Amino acid sequence: QTEAYQLEGIHKEKEELYRKLQFQCEESEQDSARQLKQNKKSDELLEQYRCEIQEFKLKHRKQRMRFENQLHQLIEQHKNLHSVFTPERLPDEIGSAENTKSQLLSAG
């Protein structure tokens, strides 16, 4: 009978150990699932931020290109105006204006 009691005690200890291990395993699985869920959220957020950064870069690039185009146009306008209104050309421009004026007066 003592051996039966000993075996029964060993059996109960092993069952208790099994329950503890089962509980720890379930907790580990829950932690793992929670971490996977958190990782997925973090990955989604990271992808969202990447998209927002890319969108911002494209917007900034478009603005810069627009500015560069406007600057180029202003430079060209300045070159054109400078070539028209140089002091060296002033006598020719005055002569041309007077010629046009006299043509208009004689036509009228």
Side-chain angles (χ1 to χ4, degrees):
Q1 254 190 350
T2 352
E3 191 178 333
Y5 283 128
Q6 286 177 344
L7 288 175
E8 193 176 316
I10 291 172
H11 179 68
K12 285 184 179 182
E13 286 176 10
K14 292 197 182 230
E15 280 183 336
E16 183 62 30
L17 181 62
Y18 172 78
R19 280 192 291 273
K20 284 181 183 177
L21 290 174
Q22 186 70 29
F23 178 73
Q24 287 176 352
C25 182
E26 288 171 2
E27 275 189 331
S28 294
E29 286 175 350
Q30 289 173 357
D31 283 346
S32 179
R34 197 168 26 254
Q35 286 177 352
L36 283 172
K37 188 176 179 181
Q38 184 62 39
N39 285 349
K40 186 179 178 191
K41 266 187 189 177
S42 296
D43 287 345
E44 289 171 354
L45 198 56
L46 185 61
E47 185 60 27
Q48 178 186 338
Y49 289 152
R50 282 187 184 131
C51 289
E52 288 174 6
I53 288 170
Q54 191 66 23
E55 192 177 311
F56 178 78
K57 283 181 179 179
L58 285 172
K59 184 178 177 183
H60 188 259
R61 183 170 179 255
K62 283 181 181 178
Q63 287 176 340
R64 189 178 67 243
M65 288 176 69
R66 210 174 310 131
F67 173 77
E68 287 174 359
N69 285 337
Q70 289 174 348
L71 181 61
H72 182 70
Q73 288 174 354
L74 283 174
I75 289 171
E76 288 302 312
Q77 286 175 0
H78 176 76
K79 285 180 185 176
N80 292 339
L81 288 174
H82 181 73
S83 68
V84 169
F85 293 107
T86 58
E88 298 84 25
R89 290 201 47 175
L90 189 57
D92 290 339
E93 290 296 321
I94 292 173
S96 174
E98 287 175 351
N99 187 21
T100 304
K101 178 184 172 187
S102 63
Q103 284 178 357
L104 289 172
L105 288 174
S106 64

